[in-house]
Amino acid sequence: MNEKASNYQDPYIVNKNLGFPLQIGSSDLPSENADGQPVIELTVEQKYVFDTRGWLLVPEVLGGSELEEMQDFCYRLHRDPESIPEHERSTLGGAVQKLLDHPVVVGLLNEFTAYPPLSSQECYGFSLEGSHLFYRSVGMGGFGPHNGNGLYRLPGDVHYYDAFPGKAYSPHTRIVWELNPVKKGQGGTLLVPGSHKSVHTAPDEIQNPDSDIWTTYGCPAGSVVFFTEALTHSGTPWTNTENDRLAVFNLYSPVDSGFARRLKPHPDLLESMPPMRRTLFRERHIVDNVVGSDYRRLYNQY
Ligand SMILES: [Fe+2]
């Protein structure tokens, strides 16, 4: 069976009115990012792996001078922040700003996090809730398992995960850019595969970072790790003596809700961003909150 035939699926997701299905068209989700770069869609395998395990590693997305510029910016941000203009002094600025809506990021979020009625070719269907530099030398970082069991939560907290035949939804999605190499078992994030869909309470072994219940990854510099925040995960002390951890942690939420307050970049920085990137920081609500389209266009499709 070829890939197209084996992967054919037409999910039935109930739309806003009377139980008719939501029909998402190809123009409802952006095909280019704010810099005009074509969005890189997930492969069939990547989509399956992210949904099944709750996390996905894409190695070596960045390289060459682009990666070096980002490393330099992050070292300066950590060691000599005063050397960076105030409005650029965060992981929302400088060379790493383009990570916020990198084509591979938009590809995964279009599939798993976007709300199509609030998405268009000029507007992202998700928002950015947090962005931080994780700089760790040997001994830094601690163990603190959290989350898991994302399927059956009451509405009101975005740490959940929905799965329908043919479609899955991760409202709260973490994207980690590892700008330095990570050696497996030496400080990369710990993850419990499949725990976003688990329905039992976690066993005591979860408190042991060396338990086989945990998995982790090693990767070259410039790799990206995606995971749903509904997955059980944890930090762990950095033990790699060859290089420090240099990671940008970005956290995405729906456009009508979130866990933390709306993220507000420095006004001068926001002003300097391309218009589409600014939509990552818009207010979180539904009515009249899509650029270049009508929020009701996918409602009442019958
Ligand atoms: Fe977390």
Side-chain angles (χ1 to χ4, degrees):
M1 200 183 291
N2 67 34
E3 185 172 278
K4 240 182 183 169
S6 66
N7 188 52
Y8 176 76
Q9 38 206 343
D10 194 6
Y12 193 115
I13 306 166
V14 172
N15 201 355
K16 183 174 175 289
N17 203 17
L18 299 175
F20 284 85
L22 175 66
Q23 291 162 329
I24 306 166
S26 56
S27 64
D28 293 321
L29 298 163
S31 53
E32 292 183 351
N33 72 359
D35 293 324
Q37 298 169 305
V39 168
I40 300 173
E41 288 185 18
L42 295 176
T43 65
V44 172
E45 182 187 5
Q46 287 172 332
K47 195 162 62 169
Y48 178 85
V49 166
F50 181 84
D51 171 58
T52 301
R53 301 192 314 197
W55 73 281
L56 174 72
L57 167 73
V58 184
E60 287 184 290
V61 174
L62 308 166
S65 57
E66 184 183 45
L67 175 60
E68 278 169 26
E69 272 176 41
M70 292 183 187
Q71 291 167 329
D72 289 348
F73 180 81
C74 289
Y75 280 125
R76 278 172 65 202
L77 194 59
H78 179 71
R79 294 171 179 159
D80 188 17
E82 303 297 321
S83 71
I84 300 171
E86 192 190 339
H87 67 287
E88 299 267 356
R89 207 176 293 157
S90 74
T91 47
L92 303 178
V96 293
Q97 184 185 108
K98 63 176 83 157
L99 296 179
L100 304 178
D101 55 355
H102 187 282
V104 301
V105 165
V106 181
L108 183 124
L109 296 176
N110 271 354
E111 177 63 36
F112 283 99
T113 303
Y115 182 54
L118 291 194
S119 177
S120 73
Q121 295 303 315
E122 301 162 57
C123 181
Y124 294 118
F126 42 83
S127 60
L128 183 72
E129 182 181 292
S131 183
H132 302 281
L133 175 66
F134 268 44
Y135 189 98
R136 284 180 176 159
S137 303
V138 170
M140 291 172 72
F143 180 62
H146 55 286
N147 297 350
N149 310 87
L151 276 184
Y152 301 106
R153 303 275 185 87
L154 282 175
D157 186 316
V158 288
H159 290 84
Y160 66 90
Y161 189 87
D162 266 341
F164 315 90
K167 184 74 180 168
Y169 178 57
S170 167
H172 211 36
T173 306
R174 178 73 70 175
I175 300 186
V176 180
W177 289 93
E178 298 284 5
L179 299 181
N180 270 349
V182 177
K183 289 189 177 175
K184 193 168 184 181
Q186 296 191 19
T189 300
L190 302 182
L191 309 146
V192 180
S195 55
H196 57 315
K197 297 181 184 174
S198 62
V199 294
H200 293 288
T201 50
D204 293 342
E205 285 76 9
I206 213 95
Q207 299 299 337
N208 174 9
D210 298 320
S211 166
D212 286 347
I213 215 161
W214 291 102
T215 193
T216 188
Y217 55 88
C219 60
S223 302
V224 63
V225 179
F226 302 93
F227 62 92
T228 171
E229 273 284 325
L231 194 71
T232 302
H233 59 277
S234 176
T236 188
W238 188 257
T239 58
N240 178 350
T241 53
E242 282 184 22
N243 59 265
D244 291 339
R245 190 179 196 185
L246 194 66
V248 176
F249 273 57
N250 292 329
L251 181 58
Y252 298 81
S253 263
V255 279
D256 69 331
S257 59
F259 194 65
R261 284 184 188 160
R262 182 158 73 101
L263 187 57
K264 291 183 181 175
H266 189 290
D268 294 347
L269 184 65
L270 192 64
E271 185 72 22
S272 70
M273 288 181 190
M276 191 166 170
R277 188 167 293 144
R278 280 184 236 153
T279 69
L280 291 172
F281 306 97
R282 67 200 199 268
E283 286 188 41
R284 297 201 198 117
H285 60 87
I286 298 280
V287 174
D288 296 333
N289 200 19
V290 58
V291 180
S293 192
D294 188 316
Y295 75 98
R296 294 162 295 194
R297 76 190 185 284
L298 297 183
Y299 293 166
N300 309 334
Q301 293 173 315
Y302 54 86

